[in-house]
Amino acid sequence: LGALLVGATSAAPSISSCGSPTDIFKHVSMAVSPDPVERGTPFTITVTGDLGTDLTSGTVSWDIDAKVSVFGHSVVDKASKQSSPFTLTPGARAGPSKLVVGPITLPGEVPGSADISGKVIVADGTGAQVACVALEFHLVLGQANTAPLPEALGAPQGVTSCGKSGDHMQGVTFGTVE
């Protein structure tokens, strides 16, 4: 997920709490800074709140839609609805808590876009909801270089694709644009 968070153009917060008053994690604050994420600028994700009980195990469930286009071609268009158990040793203790991820600087050289939306829900070992995180990223990755090649370069010579049948990008060809 982190590798896709480059150059966001969304006006709404990219990350927010979708929890309920009965969540174990209370007084929640979630932020991405800067938000929107700017291409080539480090960003940090910070989550703070009060954990009502010790947390030593549970389940992380997600329902995420991800769409990534590179050079105008879709390379990812996938919905993922899964869950995974976790164990924390020695565990997260009840009380004020803070999680900081970053700063992260992601490359912006690949032209394209990414849209990532959905929810991630954390439950404790008894199944009680700890927290809910809503994701809403609409990102512009690096811009394509549209400068024309000098005519003297002509068509690329001896360039071949090393792609395989299982690769995400298929049908890559080389030549000049007229």
Side-chain angles (χ1 to χ4, degrees), residues 25-31 46-50 96-100:
F25 195 50
K26 304 216 182 270
H27 310 111
V28 179
S29 172
M30 298 183 184
T46 304
V47 178
T48 61
D50 295 317
S97 301
K98 182 175 185 178
L99 171 69
V100 177

Side-chain angles (χ1 to χ4, degrees), residues 14 21 31 34-35 48-49 76 84 92-93 95 117 126 129 139 141-142 147 149 154 158 170 172 178:
S14 299
D35 194 5
T48 61
V76 175
S84 180
R93 299 291 170 225
S117 61
T126 69
Q129 185 167 302
L139 316 162
L141 303 176
L149 291 174
Q170 297 290 318
V172 176
E178 305 207 15

